[in-house]
Amino acid sequence: MLGLKLPTDPRWVNIVEKNIHEILTDHAFCEQKATSTAISFIVLFPEYTDLVQEMTALVKEEISHFKMVHDKIIARGWTLGRDRKDEYVNKLMTFFPKGGSRVDFMVNKLLYAALIEARSCERFRLLSEEINDAELAEFYRNLMASEANHYTMFLGFARKYGKREEVDKKWQDLLNFEAEIMKELGTKETMHG
Ligand SMILES: [Fe+2]
Ligand SMILES: [Fe+2]
């Protein structure tokens, strides 16, 4: 349903379980980055009224996710750590060449966002099924549905404003590229590591 070409090795959850503080810190910053991305769509593409409306709602939702994760960190007696580099996202975002039209730029940015939501959703699902922590399993089960909706929304906007065939081709190419990146990952206690 998410279109991903390579599932995460479930052993990634065993790595995560050993360092819950680390995964929660990394996850909190994923939600912060999702919020920042939603704001950046408003700043970059203000004339797309329906996109601006959806992004405004998304800012609220993603920052509320940030708070939910932050609350979990506090409840466990910890403090939010420093932001981590997201190697996965940095690599993924090298895929589309720079330049092109403004619509191309928007479509590419929408496709990156859709894919990051899809992979996050897959990781949340795996955590909800495999993590040896009932409270977090439940937490990730609830978040999984939100991220699946975001994935559909971003892909929907890309298809609405780009040429359908071109967008679908780009999406398939990006999925293949992402699967290559994922072959090297699944070894760290970060959300996309
Ligand atoms: Fe989120
Ligand atoms: Fe999201």
Side-chain angles (χ1 to χ4, degrees):
M1 160 245 175
L2 296 165
L4 300 171
K5 308 272 186 195
L6 191 74
T8 298
D9 186 329
R11 284 174 296 182
W12 167 74
V13 180
N14 305 128
I15 299 166
V16 166
E17 276 169 346
K18 295 197 184 89
N19 199 344
I20 300 292
H21 184 204
E22 179 68 21
I23 189 75
L24 289 178
T25 289
D26 184 71
H27 179 191
F29 282 108
C30 289
E31 302 294 353
Q32 171 269 313
K33 287 179 194 111
T35 310
S36 301
T37 298
I39 293 172
S40 76
F41 275 107
I42 298 172
V43 176
L44 290 167
F45 310 106
E47 72 274 38
Y48 292 86
T49 302
D50 54 353
L51 180 69
V52 172
Q53 288 287 79
E54 286 292 337
M55 290 301 118
T56 307
L58 188 61
V59 169
K60 286 195 207 161
E61 196 184 343
E62 298 292 19
I63 203 67
S64 82
H65 291 169
F66 173 85
K67 178 163 166 47
M68 284 157 72
V69 184
H70 193 220
D71 288 345
K72 291 260 177 269
I73 291 172
I74 295 167
R76 290 177 185 229
W78 298 321
T79 306
L80 179 65
R82 299 289 300 267
D83 187 15
R84 271 78 173 141
K85 254 210 294 202
D86 196 328
E87 209 188 316
Y88 163 80
V89 170
N90 291 344
K91 276 193 188 153
L92 187 71
M93 290 186 135
T94 62
F95 184 67
F96 295 120
K98 300 239 179 322
S101 71
R102 186 168 153 72
V103 174
D104 284 337
F105 174 51
M106 183 172 77
V107 164
N108 295 350
K109 197 171 153 68
L110 286 164
L111 292 179
Y112 285 143
L115 191 38
I116 296 164
E117 294 283 1
R119 181 57 73 182
S120 304
C121 180
E122 189 243 9
R123 289 283 173 102
F124 289 1
R125 184 187 52 76
L126 202 55
L127 288 173
S128 77
E129 288 170 358
E130 305 280 340
I131 201 165
N132 196 11
D133 182 314
E135 191 204 340
L136 288 181
E138 161 92 30
F139 181 57
Y140 283 109
R141 193 169 311 117
N142 295 333
L143 280 180
M144 190 177 84
S146 310
E147 309 308 349
N149 288 335
H150 301 162
Y151 149 78
T152 311
M153 177 195 56
F154 280 120
L155 193 56
F157 275 122
R159 286 175 171 154
K160 179 173 180 183
Y161 289 112
K163 288 197 192 83
R164 178 64 193 247
E165 262 170 48
E166 265 175 42
V167 170
D168 287 348
K169 165 89 173 64
K170 276 185 175 183
W171 176 241
Q172 287 308 315
D173 292 347
L174 185 62
L175 283 168
N176 288 331
F177 179 69
E178 199 254 4
E180 286 302 312
I181 298 175
M182 288 312 294
K183 281 184 188 163
E184 314 277 304
L185 299 175
T187 58
K188 279 192 205 143
E189 57 274 74
T190 58
M191 207 41 94
H192 301 125

